[in-house]
């Protein structure tokens, strides 16, 4: 069946999710409440999503036979990560019903294609260049005033595959560090690396947009994001930014969703600069960590909205019900959290993803603090959960 076909997937039918992590788990929890059934493809036997699904295909994400099995067991396919193997993506979009299509993956798997798409949509992005050779890097280092970020075009996440460049940087060392990444991801026509001018941002924000099969859109309120060690640490809604920045951010998200002919949910990460400019940084063609707070803070969560969009149901009202602050619980935060779980304030909602091993920096869950933002920030700052070892 063609992915362009527009039809309604009814409750009782089965949604197949490629990937069994926390995003798949929260999609399945939202979809189960609506009566959908779920099958998950993931190599880990007891993955977070499989724990709440009806069935699991236990195989590698790039296993073509397993992808066909998933397609056979499901009436519709979605994914919870963008680095889907190209062959698997094309099988799923040709032989199954995957309304998000494989083009969205083709674009968002590659930072240069993504940048070009944003430029085509008419949204501002940081100045950038493709870097093929060490000479290219030296040239662009000078051109950018020696401040930038060098990124792999594929496969980077949570700050991996990126190198911050400052005037003191030793380019030879950085170039050497890149080489293993280039060998893994290969060289292609668009250039193996992208160099971005460093944006002196005052805030990082995201807009989550959902677009239905008929082109109708719904925007979640703009979210403010704070990172630590390249990993999202905390998100705040509504973002504490001027009205005009909210307008620019939402306008950019709408333009990108239209340009991509999006079906489903897309997170658009952006920078707000001191002068009030909003620059788009990157796209995630799925529900996003910064949107976890929509579960309690909005009338409809990003996960339910995603399920509605791909299944051809009307998008639901998703207005903000309360301000909220979400903090990620990483492996190192789990023990201190569990120690005080019986004393958490009443406005704090706990989500854990059912992962067994609390490895350092592994996303184990999140907490969403509802209500006044300053009170939430005070709780987070004074709680020992996110303190470093030396602060404890
Ligand atoms: P990314 O993987 O592109 O989301 O980048 C991870 C983080 O690096 C972002 O959340 C920013 O904090 C920072 N970053 C990425 N690109 C830039 C840029 N061009 N200028 C300044 N900071 C950046």
């Amino acid at each position: 069946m063609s992915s362009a076909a527009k039809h309604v997937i009814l409750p009782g039918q089965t949604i197949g999710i490629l990937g069994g992590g926390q995003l798949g788990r929260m999609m399945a929890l939202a979809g189960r409440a609506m009566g959908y059934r779920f099958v998950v493809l993931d190599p880990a036997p007891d993955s977070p999503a499989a724990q709440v699904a009806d069935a699991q295909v236990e195989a590698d994400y790039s296993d073509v036979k397993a992808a066909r099995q998933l397609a056979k067991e499901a009436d519709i396919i979605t994914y919870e990560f963008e680095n889907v193997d190209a062959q698997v993506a094309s099988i799923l979009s040709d032989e199954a019903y995957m309304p998000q299509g494989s083009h969205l993956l083709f674009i968002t798997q590659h930072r240069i294609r993504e940048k070009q798409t944003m430029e085509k949509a008419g949204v501002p992005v940081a100045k950038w260049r493709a870097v093929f050779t060490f000479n290219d890097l030296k040239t662009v280092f000078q051109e950018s005033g020696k401040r930038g970020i060098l990124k792999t075009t594929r496969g980077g996440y949570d700050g991996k595959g990126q190198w911050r460049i400052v005037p003191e940087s030793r380019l030879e060392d950085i170039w050497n560090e890149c080489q293993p990444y280039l060998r893994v991801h290969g060289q292609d026509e668009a250039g193996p690396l992208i160099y971005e001018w460093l944006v002196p941002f005052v805030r990082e924000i995201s807009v989550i947009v959902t677009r239905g099969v008929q082109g109708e859109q719904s925007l979640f309120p703009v979210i403010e994001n704070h990172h630590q060690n390249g990993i999202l640490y905390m998100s705040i809604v509504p973002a504490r930014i001027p009205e005009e920045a909210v307008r620019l951010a939402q306008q950019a998200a709408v333009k990108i969703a239209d340009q991509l002919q999006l079906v489903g949910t897309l997170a658009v990460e952006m920078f707000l600069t001191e002068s009030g400019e909003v620059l788009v940084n990157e796209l995630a063609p799925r529900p996003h960590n910064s949107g976890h707070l929509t579960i309690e803070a909005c009338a409809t969560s990003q996960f339910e909205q995603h399920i509605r969009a791909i299944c051809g149901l009307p998008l639901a009202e998703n207005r903000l019900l309360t301000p909220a602050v979400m903090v990620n619980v990483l492996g190192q935060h789990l023990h201190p959290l569990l120690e005080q779980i019986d004393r958490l304030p009443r406005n704090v909602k706990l989500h854990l993803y059912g992962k067994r091993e609390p490895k350092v920096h592994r996303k184990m869950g999140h907490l969403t603090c509802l209500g006044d933002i300053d009170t939430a920030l005070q709780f987070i700052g004074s709680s020992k959960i996110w303190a470093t070892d030396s602060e404890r």
Side-chain angles (χ1 to χ4, degrees):
M1 192 183 310
S2 147
S3 286
K6 288 172 186 160
H7 67 241
V8 176
I9 300 295
L10 293 172
Q13 290 190 279
T14 300
I15 300 175
I17 308 178
L18 195 57
Q22 61 268 19
L23 296 174
R25 178 185 178 96
M26 288 183 271
M27 274 185 213
L29 288 171
R32 284 191 88 126
M34 301 163 76
Y36 288 104
R37 304 183 72 85
F38 284 87
V39 52
V40 167
L41 189 156
D42 196 274
D46 186 40
S47 67
Q51 289 169 23
V52 301
D54 299 273
Q56 174 169 7
V57 178
E58 212 181 291
D60 205 71
Y61 306 126
S62 56
D63 183 332
V64 168
K65 223 172 106 202
R68 290 213 160 92
Q69 181 67 23
L70 182 74
K72 212 171 95 197
E73 291 185 27
D75 298 294
I76 179 172
I77 303 282
T78 186
Y79 42 80
E80 59 136 35
F81 59 87
E82 51 274 36
N83 291 316
V84 178
D85 176 86
Q87 203 188 354
V88 165
S90 97
I91 287 173
L92 291 176
S93 67
D94 292 348
E95 300 177 22
Y97 178 52
M98 186 167 76
Q100 291 161 278
S102 55
H103 182 69
L104 182 60
L105 290 171
F106 176 76
I107 299 294
T108 53
Q109 276 174 358
H110 194 286
R111 286 187 192 269
I112 290 179
R113 285 183 209 132
E114 194 172 90
K115 283 270 192 298
Q116 287 166 336
T117 303
M118 296 192 253
E119 287 174 342
K120 239 188 261 168
V123 305
V125 296
K127 208 166 161 188
W128 63 276
R129 293 267 191 283
V131 169
F132 293 85
T133 62
F134 184 55
N135 257 344
D136 290 348
L137 179 60
K138 284 196 286 195
T139 309
V140 82
F141 177 63
Q142 295 298 337
E143 242 187 284
S144 65
K146 304 184 180 176
R147 284 189 193 278
I149 302 207
L150 185 66
K151 302 178 180 179
T152 54
T153 40
R154 295 170 187 273
Y157 67 96
D158 286 345
K160 295 194 179 71
Q162 350 197 316
W163 296 266
R164 191 170 275 258
I165 311 265
V166 291
E168 300 74 36
S169 292
R170 289 175 47 88
L171 293 190
E172 291 83 358
D173 292 351
I174 290 175
W175 188 250
N176 286 338
E177 274 182 47
C178 296
Q179 298 314 302
Y181 287 83
L182 301 187
R183 277 196 290 276
V184 169
H185 297 295
Q187 189 147 350
D188 61 32
E189 78 292 345
L193 292 161
I194 178 170
Y195 183 100
E196 295 176 12
W197 271 236
L198 196 77
V199 176
F201 58 79
V202 290
R203 279 261 185 267
E204 290 193 74
I205 54 177
S206 55
V207 176
I208 296 173
V209 54
T210 312
R211 193 166 175 280
V213 282
Q214 314 283 0
E216 71 280 19
Q217 291 203 7
S218 91
L219 287 168
F220 285 90
V222 181
I223 300 163
E224 168 184 333
N225 299 317
H226 298 262
H227 295 84
Q228 277 179 2
N229 305 314
I231 304 175
L232 183 68
Y233 160 60
M234 176 168 76
S235 293
I236 300 175
V237 73
R240 297 167 299 173
I241 58 173
E243 269 307 303
E244 177 58 9
V246 169
R247 195 187 66 75
L248 289 173
Q250 294 192 323
Q251 188 185 56
V254 167
K255 281 187 182 170
I256 293 169
D258 281 335
Q259 175 69 35
L260 284 166
Q261 290 292 291
L262 175 74
V263 173
T265 292
L266 176 83
V268 185
E269 296 180 29
M270 313 181 198
F271 301 127
L272 172 65
T273 67
E274 185 124 38
S275 60
E277 224 188 338
V278 170
L279 303 177
V280 178
N281 175 33
E282 72 168 346
L283 309 177
R286 50 170 170 76
H288 190 252
N289 194 166
S290 66
H292 292 357
L293 43 65
T294 61
I295 295 176
E296 290 96 0
C298 294
T300 302
S301 76
Q302 62 167 349
F303 301 103
E304 177 179 340
Q305 203 75 312
H306 178 68
I307 298 292
R308 285 174 166 272
I310 59 172
C311 289
L313 303 186
L315 300 182
E317 213 247 287
N318 64 342
R319 102 196 112 85
L320 188 68
L321 302 174
T322 170
V325 180
M326 188 263 350
V327 211
N328 271 331
V329 174
L330 305 182
Q332 64 270 34
H333 306 138
L334 189 65
H335 181 67
L337 164 68
L338 294 178
E339 274 199 328
Q340 53 183 284
I341 199 163
D342 56 342
R343 278 162 284 139
L344 290 177
R346 287 153 57 98
N347 62 322
V348 172
K349 307 291 279 189
L350 169 65
H351 297 253
L352 290 175
Y353 307 142
K355 297 181 188 176
R356 301 232 181 268
E357 265 185 86
K359 289 188 197 146
V360 173
H361 295 323
R362 186 176 199 202
K363 291 176 182 168
M364 303 300 289
H366 69 268
L367 294 187
T368 303
C369 311
L370 302 174
D372 180 63
I373 291 175
D374 289 333
T375 311
L377 294 178
Q378 218 170 359
F379 158 70
I380 294 161
S382 63
S383 147
K384 295 279 180 256
I385 302 172
W386 297 277
T388 58
D389 284 345
S390 60
E391 290 164 344
R392 282 201 184 104

